[in-house]
Amino acid sequence: GIPMEIIVGKMFKLEIWETLLSSMRAGEVAEFWCDAIHTGMYALVSRGMRRIAEGRDPLEGQKHRCGMGNMFDYHSTGYDDLDELQQTPQPLIFIMELFRVEEPSAYKRDTWAMSKEEKLAAVPVLHSEGNRLVLRKEFGQAAAKYQEAVICLRNLQAKEKPWEEGWLKLESLVTPLVLNYCQCQLELGEYYEVLEHTTELLQKHNDNAKAYFKRAKAHAAVWNERDAREDFLRVAHLDPSMAAAVKKELKQLGERMRKKHVEDRKRYQGLF
């Protein structure tokens, strides 16, 4: 029920489709006969499209590798007719209807479709949009903006050698975005999400006081008193300017834990 989108020039699995579509006008329906040399990847493309039509994840059950690699692992597309076509490629007829054509500047590209320059340009825009949404207390939407910016940077980092200059420069942009994302998750009550991301961040940057502070608040929220106290004290050691905030948090933590202990005693007394 949703039209398929193809971004010309981004090496879609069936390159011939780009050629065919580029010969059409918007609103036109056309039929094309294609030799088998152009249709070898159709079985893999069709499998994904069929799964989407069935309401399933097109990558369901696959390992993190290319489609052809997964074919070697599983020896089947899951559809008999596509397996037959995969084994014996044939000429195919494609009937296409072109609904709409958009200029590159008008199309909001997904992260994977962006060039390096486009990703770098998108990051500050996404960061700014996230900050604006935070001011409006729309934390879920803000978190999504920060996350999208992080994905852009992680994609670029994957092409750099870890801990060298290019990688470190990108990492310096990632860190504040992850911290902003974690603050949104704290506001949304997603404490285990915060624990996961702050811990991952601290494995690389074990002197980041803000990451310890956010992790401490998440620990406190899920009653991990010992871990919360350790992280709060580490914050005060790393950044003395945060000592007052740490003192306030430790006082609140103590009060919450005392209240919880009283409630627990009453609850257990009732059991016996």
Side-chain angles (χ1 to χ4, degrees):
I2 301 173
M4 183 174 180
E5 295 178 350
I6 289 184
I7 303 173
V8 175
K10 292 298 181 180
M11 295 188 297
F12 180 63
K13 291 177 183 177
L14 275 171
E15 289 186 48
I16 191 64
W17 280 13
E18 292 189 12
T19 303
L20 305 181
L21 288 167
S22 297
S23 72
M24 297 174 64
R25 295 180 178 180
E28 181 181 356
V29 178
E31 179 176 303
F32 301 94
W33 185 95
C34 295
D35 194 277
I37 193 172
H38 297 300
T39 63
M41 294 295 291
Y42 177 73
L44 295 177
V45 172
S46 182
R47 176 187 61 178
M49 295 173 70
R50 291 184 188 191
R51 288 187 173 185
I52 291 170
E54 293 165 2
R56 298 163 61 193
D57 183 347
L59 302 179
E60 178 184 301
Q62 290 191 16
K63 296 180 180 178
H64 186 66
R65 57 193 297 186
C66 70
M68 193 61 74
N70 276 286
M71 282 293 294
F72 280 112
D73 278 337
Y74 303 113
H75 311 294
S76 174
T77 62
Y79 303 92
D80 292 340
D81 60 325
L82 295 181
D83 287 344
E84 182 180 348
L85 185 61
Q86 187 76 20
Q87 294 167 12
T88 311
Q90 301 174 38
L92 295 174
I93 292 174
F94 298 118
I95 300 174
M96 296 182 164
E97 180 177 1
L98 183 58
F99 290 102
R100 186 172 70 251
V101 178
E102 295 182 355
E103 293 295 327
S105 59
Y107 182 77
K108 186 182 184 302
R109 287 185 170 94
D110 290 330
T111 301
W112 65 267
M114 292 181 180
S115 66
K116 177 180 178 180
E117 292 72 21
E118 288 169 335
K119 287 173 184 173
L120 285 172
V123 168
V125 175
L126 291 166
H127 198 160
S128 178
E129 289 176 352
N131 292 346
R132 178 176 53 80
L133 289 163
V134 165
L135 291 174
R136 291 162 50 179
K137 300 189 181 301
E138 296 177 14
F139 299 111
Q141 293 182 46
K145 295 293 183 182
Y146 295 137
Q147 187 176 44
E148 188 177 350
V150 169
I151 290 171
C152 285
L153 293 170
R154 291 296 190 208
N155 286 342
L156 294 173
Q157 267 191 318
K159 299 176 183 178
E160 301 286 344
K161 190 171 182 180
W163 302 106
E164 291 198 350
E165 184 179 356
W167 188 94
L168 289 170
K169 185 176 180 180
L170 292 167
E171 185 68 14
S172 69
L173 299 174
V174 168
T175 300
L177 287 163
V178 172
L179 291 173
N180 287 358
Y181 173 82
C182 288
Q183 183 60 42
C184 290
Q185 297 302 327
L186 281 174
E187 298 287 350
L188 294 167
E190 299 291 344
Y191 304 118
Y192 290 104
E193 182 86 356
V194 176
L195 292 174
E196 177 186 347
H197 287 282
T198 51
T199 298
E200 182 181 347
L201 186 63
L202 288 165
Q203 287 172 349
K204 299 176 185 174
H205 312 286
N206 61 6
D207 59 347
N208 192 303
K210 291 182 178 179
Y212 279 116
F213 190 77
K214 295 184 192 306
R215 190 172 75 171
K217 286 179 72 68
H219 275 309
V222 296
W223 308 106
N224 296 338
E225 181 181 13
R226 179 179 175 181
D227 292 330
R229 288 187 180 279
E230 287 181 359
D231 278 353
F232 278 133
L233 292 174
R234 196 172 283 119
V235 171
H237 174 73
L238 290 169
D239 188 352
S241 69
M242 297 182 70
V246 167
K247 184 178 180 180
K248 179 181 177 182
E249 292 289 342
L250 287 171
K251 182 179 179 181
Q252 290 178 350
L253 175 62
E255 291 172 352
R256 289 182 70 240
M257 295 307 301
R258 281 192 293 273
K259 184 177 179 181
K260 183 177 185 296
H261 292 324
V262 170
E263 291 175 350
D264 286 346
R265 280 199 300 270
K266 290 180 179 179
R267 187 178 300 114
Y268 293 137
Q269 286 172 357
L271 290 175
F272 300 102

